[in-house]
């Protein structure tokens, strides 16, 4: 058992023992005044936005192209019918008319119709069709990966706007609290209860929050503009979601199914390896016997009497005998190419397993971090209440209370960002296991 597999089993056991965040993240608690949408409504919201993007429409067009390319390759099995018109006009000649019968023809205008049907070509046609089908499969995998990445982008854009707007709302609340403390300090200084230094320090605390607000306001303008360009509406009109975490639920059928799947890169690498293996047989096929059927109809002087014609046909056979080593070199090159792709596929599998284990471990770490942050925030809120209750007593300390308010803001920000990261990591794991399209009910 390899080390990544052992780590994966260990992380899976941790996931199974994780009770917190096993079902949903209730983002509504960050803005209870907004309209709330459930997981299915949010999925539809993201899906509708994705399928309206020009990138998604490009994906659909490319998928159609791949299907037609495959049909072209299948057409190699069928006969080819071609036609031509030959206008043979002589400008000058010097011949012996007695023994040069073929050369004394007058100007002619002939029509040719020819049918060619390959009967055996060293399995090259069959192998080319097989590889063309595989190429279509690779193309579809690439398109699915692009669509899955587009879903990830949509979620990133949504939560980018959601995060900054939510944090700004809290900053404004904290500014009001600190500003109130500043006014109290001003009154205490005027009454001679405290020193002017307290008021100065309180002003510094308030300025610190104002600077954070200014930076956040810039981020809000940027994130809202990106949101509007992608989703076609203002963020303020969007409902707040409560979302499922699929990869932390041991009973999720989609997760049990995805454990058998591999990443898009691994699947494409395996198909490419199969293509490379078939290329060996294609290289060998170039030096196998080839034969087929040829039929030609020639209508002579069809611009005149239209009475003379030929119908010719037969079976052709071609067999390379000696090529000074080119055959062996081509086959050996194809074999080397196959080995290269085979090892490349194994490398992709290793990278996928490492990435998958890393994302699973990140989920567990985020859950643990969130539990610690929430515990710390509860402790900070208790400290804040204790200090607030002493505002009228001798133990009143406005600086300490302001510090607690700023710390509470920092913890709030960390918890929000961690929950967003938890959800996005959950999506990333679904993307890595190629089930994100199913999760958002998109199919290609």
């Amino acid at each position: 058992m390899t080390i990544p597999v052992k780590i994966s089993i260990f992380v899976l056991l941790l996931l199974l023992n994780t009770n917190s965040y096993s079902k949903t993240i209730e983002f509504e608690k960050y803005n209870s005044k907004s309209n709330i949408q459930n997981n299915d409504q949010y999925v539809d919201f993201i899906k509708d936005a994705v399928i309206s993007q020009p990138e998604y429409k490009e994906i659909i067009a490319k998928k159609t192209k791949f299907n037609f390319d495959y049909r072209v390759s299948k057409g190699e099995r069928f006969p080819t019918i071609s036609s031509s018109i030959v206008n043979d006009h002589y400008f000058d000649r010097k011949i012996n008319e007695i023994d040069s019968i073929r050369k004394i023809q007058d100007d002619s205008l002939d029509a040719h119709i020819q049918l060619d049907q390959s009967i055996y070509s060293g399995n090259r046609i069959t192998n080319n069709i097989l590889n063309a089908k595989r190429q279509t499969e690779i193309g579809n995998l690439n398109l699915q990966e692009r669509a899955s990445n587009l879903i990830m982008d949509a979620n990133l854009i949504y939560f980018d706007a959601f995060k900054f707007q939510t944090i700004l709302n809290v900053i404004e609340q904290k500014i009001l609290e600190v500003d109130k403390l500043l006014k109290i300090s001003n009154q205490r200084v005027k009454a001679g209860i405290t020193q002017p230094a307290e008021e100065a320090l309180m002003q510094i605390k308030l300025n610190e929050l104002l600077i954070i607000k200014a930076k956040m306001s810039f981020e809000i303008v940027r994130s809202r503009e990106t949101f509007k360009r992608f989703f076609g509406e203002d963020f303020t009109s969007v409902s707040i979601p409560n979302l499922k975490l699929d990869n932390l639920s041991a009973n999720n059928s989609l997760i049990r199914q995805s454990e058998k799947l591999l990443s898009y890169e691994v699947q494409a690498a395996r198909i490419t390896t199969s293509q490379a293996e078939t290329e060996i047989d294609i290289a060998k096929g170039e030096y196998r016997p080839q034969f087929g059927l040829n039929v030609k109809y020639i209508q002579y002087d069809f611009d005149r009497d239209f009475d003379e014609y030929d119908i010719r046909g037969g079976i052709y056979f071609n067999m390379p005998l000696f090529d000074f080593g080119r055959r062996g070199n081509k086959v050996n090159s194809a074999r080397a190419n196959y080995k290269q792709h085979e090892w490349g596929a194994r490398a992709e599998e290793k990278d996928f397993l490492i990435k998958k284990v890393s994302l699973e471990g990140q989920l567990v770490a985020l859950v643990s971090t969130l539990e610690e942050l929430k515990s710390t925030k509860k402790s900070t809120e208790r400290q804040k209440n204790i200090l607030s209750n002493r505002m009228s007593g001798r133990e009143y300390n406005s600086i300490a209370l302001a510090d607690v308010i700023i710390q509470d803001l920092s913890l709030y920000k960390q918890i929000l960002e961690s929950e967003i990261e938890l959800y996005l990591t959950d999506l990333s794991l679904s993307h890595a296991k190629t089930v994100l399209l199913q999760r958002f009910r998109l199919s290609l």
Side-chain angles (χ1 to χ4, degrees):
M1 186 179 295
T2 62
I3 292 177
V5 173
K6 291 180 180 178
I7 296 174
S8 182
I9 293 174
F10 175 72
V11 171
L12 181 59
L13 291 174
L14 288 175
L15 287 172
L16 294 177
N17 293 327
T18 301
N19 294 320
S20 299
Y21 300 95
S22 60
K23 294 182 180 179
T24 61
I25 300 180
E26 297 179 349
F27 285 105
E28 65 172 298
K29 61 179 176 285
Y30 293 104
N31 192 344
S32 58
K33 296 180 181 180
S34 297
N35 295 327
I36 307 303
Q37 55 182 334
N38 59 34
N39 187 80
D40 289 339
Q41 291 171 324
Y42 178 78
V43 165
D44 289 337
F45 173 72
I46 295 294
K47 181 182 71 173
D48 292 343
V50 167
I51 62 178
S52 67
Q53 301 302 311
E55 294 89 342
Y56 186 82
K57 298 183 186 301
E58 179 191 8
I59 288 171
I60 299 300
K62 282 191 175 182
K63 181 177 175 64
T64 304
K65 176 183 179 299
F66 288 148
N67 291 333
F68 280 115
D69 288 343
Y70 175 53
R71 292 182 185 181
V72 170
S73 63
K74 288 177 67 176
E76 296 294 328
R77 291 188 183 278
F78 302 103
T80 300
I81 301 176
S82 59
S83 63
S84 62
I85 296 177
V86 180
N87 184 6
D88 189 16
H89 178 78
Y90 69 88
F91 299 94
D92 192 15
R93 65 182 174 181
K94 181 180 180 182
I95 59 175
N96 185 339
E97 298 186 0
I98 296 176
D99 55 2
S100 301
I101 298 176
R102 293 176 62 238
K103 298 180 181 178
I104 64 174
Q105 300 178 63
D106 294 330
D107 297 344
S108 64
L109 185 63
D110 303 335
H112 297 189
I113 299 178
Q114 180 171 318
L115 182 145
D116 292 287
Q117 173 65 65
S118 175
I119 298 175
Y120 179 75
S121 61
N123 286 333
R124 284 190 299 165
I125 292 178
T126 299
N127 287 327
N128 283 330
I129 292 174
L130 180 59
N131 273 358
K133 181 179 180 182
R134 289 167 176 161
Q135 190 60 45
T136 299
E137 293 172 356
I138 293 173
N140 287 333
L141 283 172
N142 291 335
L143 296 181
Q144 290 172 21
E145 184 179 15
R146 286 185 60 188
S148 188
N149 280 322
L150 199 57
I151 291 175
M152 288 297 305
D153 291 342
N155 281 276
L156 286 169
I157 291 170
Y158 175 89
F159 280 104
D160 195 42
F162 173 75
K163 177 181 69 175
F164 292 121
Q165 180 61 56
T166 303
I167 293 174
L168 180 63
N169 293 339
V170 178
I171 289 175
E172 290 175 344
Q173 295 174 9
K174 301 303 180 185
I175 287 175
L176 292 176
E177 293 179 21
V178 175
D179 185 60
K180 180 179 178 181
L181 294 176
L182 177 61
K183 291 177 180 178
I184 294 174
S185 295
N186 178 264
Q187 294 173 359
R188 287 166 61 86
V189 170
K190 290 179 178 179
I193 301 175
T194 186
Q195 298 296 322
E198 178 183 307
E199 183 181 2
L201 289 173
M202 287 302 304
Q203 185 64 56
I204 291 174
K205 300 295 182 184
L206 180 60
N207 291 342
E208 182 180 339
L209 289 175
L210 291 172
I211 291 172
I212 296 174
K213 178 184 176 182
K215 293 180 179 179
M216 203 61 58
S217 298
F218 169 78
E219 294 292 351
I220 285 177
V221 172
R222 176 194 58 77
S223 61
R224 281 188 176 182
E225 181 63 26
T226 304
F227 184 95
K228 188 171 184 179
R229 287 181 180 275
F230 190 92
F231 291 97
E233 57 182 300
D234 292 326
F235 175 77
T236 52
S237 64
V238 177
S239 302
I240 305 302
N242 293 329
L243 301 176
K244 293 181 180 179
L245 294 171
D246 286 359
N247 290 286
L248 286 180
S249 176
N251 297 321
N252 192 307
S253 60
L254 187 62
I255 298 307
R256 294 199 302 272
Q257 175 189 353
S258 70
E259 295 300 331
K260 302 177 183 178
L261 299 177
L262 297 169
S263 68
Y264 295 110
E265 294 86 354
V266 173
Q267 294 181 60
R270 287 185 173 183
I271 296 173
T272 302
T273 302
S274 299
Q275 282 184 312
E277 187 176 19
T278 303
E279 289 292 339
I280 299 174
D281 199 46
I282 292 175
K284 292 179 180 179
E286 294 181 16
Y287 298 91
R288 293 175 182 149
Q290 301 176 34
F291 59 90
L293 177 67
N294 177 283
V295 178
K296 179 186 291 187
Y297 170 82
I298 304 175
Q299 176 65 56
Y300 297 105
D301 298 324
F302 75 91
D303 59 332
R304 299 179 185 176
D305 50 21
F306 216 80
D307 291 333
E308 298 178 342
Y309 65 87
D310 275 343
I311 298 178
R312 304 177 184 181
I315 295 176
Y316 63 83
F317 177 86
N318 180 26
M319 176 64 183
L321 296 178
F322 186 70
D323 65 354
F324 298 94
R326 287 193 294 271
R327 172 186 178 276
N329 289 329
K330 283 186 177 181
V331 173
N332 289 334
S333 175
R335 284 174 177 162
N337 185 55
Y338 164 68
K339 279 297 180 183
Q340 174 189 345
H341 285 291
E342 185 180 33
W343 286 111
R346 293 186 184 183
E348 287 288 356
E349 290 176 23
K350 182 192 70 174
D351 292 343
F352 164 67
L353 183 57
I354 292 173
K355 181 178 181 180
K356 177 173 170 288
V357 170
S358 175
L359 288 170
E360 290 171 343
Q362 190 175 344
L363 282 177
V364 174
L366 283 168
V367 170
S368 177
T369 299
L370 276 164
E371 290 175 348
E372 293 178 2
L373 286 171
K374 289 189 174 183
S375 176
T376 304
K377 191 173 187 304
K378 288 181 180 179
S379 176
T380 303
E381 289 173 350
R382 286 195 297 269
Q383 295 175 29
K384 179 182 174 183
N385 291 333
I386 292 172
L387 291 170
S388 297
N389 292 333
R390 294 175 178 176
M391 287 185 67
S392 59
R394 294 181 179 180
E395 298 179 1
Y396 169 71
N397 189 331
S398 62
I399 304 301
L401 184 54
D403 286 335
V404 171
I405 291 173
I406 293 175
Q407 183 184 6
D408 186 60
L409 169 64
S410 176
L411 288 169
Y412 181 95
K413 180 174 177 291
Q414 291 180 60
I415 291 172
L416 172 61
E417 290 176 340
S418 296
E419 288 202 305
I420 291 174
E421 186 180 358
L422 178 63
Y423 180 68
L424 294 177
T425 301
D426 190 62
L427 295 184
S428 295
L429 187 52
S430 294
H431 169 74
K433 295 189 289 190
T434 68
V435 294
L436 188 60
L437 290 178
Q438 294 170 256
R439 188 166 168 177
F440 282 81
R441 297 193 285 271
L442 272 176
S443 60
L444 289 175

